[in-house]
Amino acid sequence: MSNILSGKYYIKKGQEPLTDITTKWNGVTILKIDDFLHRGKAKNIYTQSWINSSNEDVFMPDVVFFENTDISISFIIRDSDSKIDVLAVHESFIDYLMTNRLTIKSMYIGKSADFVCLDDYKPTTTILNRSEGQNYILGTIKLHRVSSLA
């Protein structure tokens, strides 16, 4: 496969072994994953402002916890490298992302986390029923992180 980004993102559900996304779904290329390292706001630091002062009272615990954030996965599914049914691969890929608690590992940063899909999804661009090698679906899906980066 001539996919330059193969072997960079791995995925699994439950006790499955981590599998390269481009191997699990032939024709899928992950273009980018935004906000994988994004850290949310602190959840347990509290401040109190006073109306007649510029000073604030602050409570800061020994351990600070942060809100979990979302990632956006931009991808393309195309039939240029092999004869595939682009629509069937797209449906399989999206069903997997939307109906499972997933672990995604980025080899770029060497970290992984668990995610679920809480949002709706629609493809960005759908070009189908063209001659072989000219069919593709482009999309971006948002997943919510439900665990710490490990």
Side-chain angles (χ1 to χ4, degrees), residues 21-41:
I21 291 174
T22 61
T23 301
K24 192 168 186 75
W25 292 279
N26 191 19
V28 173
T29 301
I30 301 299
L31 302 173
K32 65 179 179 171
I33 297 182
D34 287 328
D35 299 327
F36 203 87
L37 289 174
H38 184 213
R39 185 180 286 193
K41 296 178 185 177

Side-chain angles (χ1 to χ4, degrees), residues 2-149:
S2 65
N3 184 351
I4 204 163
L5 293 179
S6 67
K8 303 301 182 200
Y9 298 104
Y10 289 79
I11 196 166
K12 73 173 186 161
K13 67 178 178 179
Q15 298 303 313
E16 292 177 348
L18 282 168
T19 305
D20 179 358
I21 291 174
T22 61
T23 301
K24 192 168 186 75
W25 292 279
N26 191 19
V28 173
T29 301
I30 301 299
L31 302 173
K32 65 179 179 171
I33 297 182
D34 287 328
D35 299 327
F36 203 87
L37 289 174
H38 184 213
R39 185 180 286 193
K41 296 178 185 177
K43 294 194 298 187
N44 59 339
I45 297 176
Y46 304 99
T47 62
Q48 176 66 50
S49 254
W50 296 100
I51 197 164
N52 58 354
S53 171
S54 295
N55 294 331
E56 292 188 10
D57 292 340
V58 176
F59 169 75
M60 185 156 184
D62 293 335
V63 178
V64 176
F65 294 101
F66 298 91
E67 292 177 354
N68 287 330
T69 58
D70 297 334
I71 63 169
S72 294
I73 301 173
S74 297
F75 62 91
I76 188 168
I77 301 169
R78 57 184 164 206
D79 66 350
S80 58
D81 288 338
S82 60
K83 294 180 182 182
I84 63 165
D85 180 342
V86 172
L87 186 57
V89 172
H90 177 263
E91 292 300 314
S92 173
F93 181 60
I94 293 302
D95 284 347
Y96 189 89
L97 294 178
M98 292 186 81
T99 60
N100 295 292
R101 179 181 175 145
L102 308 166
T103 300
I104 298 176
K105 181 170 186 168
S106 169
M107 297 309 286
Y108 286 113
I109 61 172
K111 301 241 181 218
S112 64
D114 293 338
F115 298 89
V116 296
C117 184
L118 300 176
D119 278 351
D120 61 343
Y121 163 79
K122 71 176 185 176
T124 307
T125 305
T126 303
I127 304 294
L128 298 172
N129 298 316
R130 304 297 197 284
S131 59
E132 186 177 313
Q134 302 300 313
N135 300 289
Y136 67 91
I137 296 176
L138 188 63
T140 299
I141 189 166
K142 189 180 347 178
L143 301 177
H144 181 72
R145 190 171 73 209
V146 294
S147 70
S148 301
L149 287 175

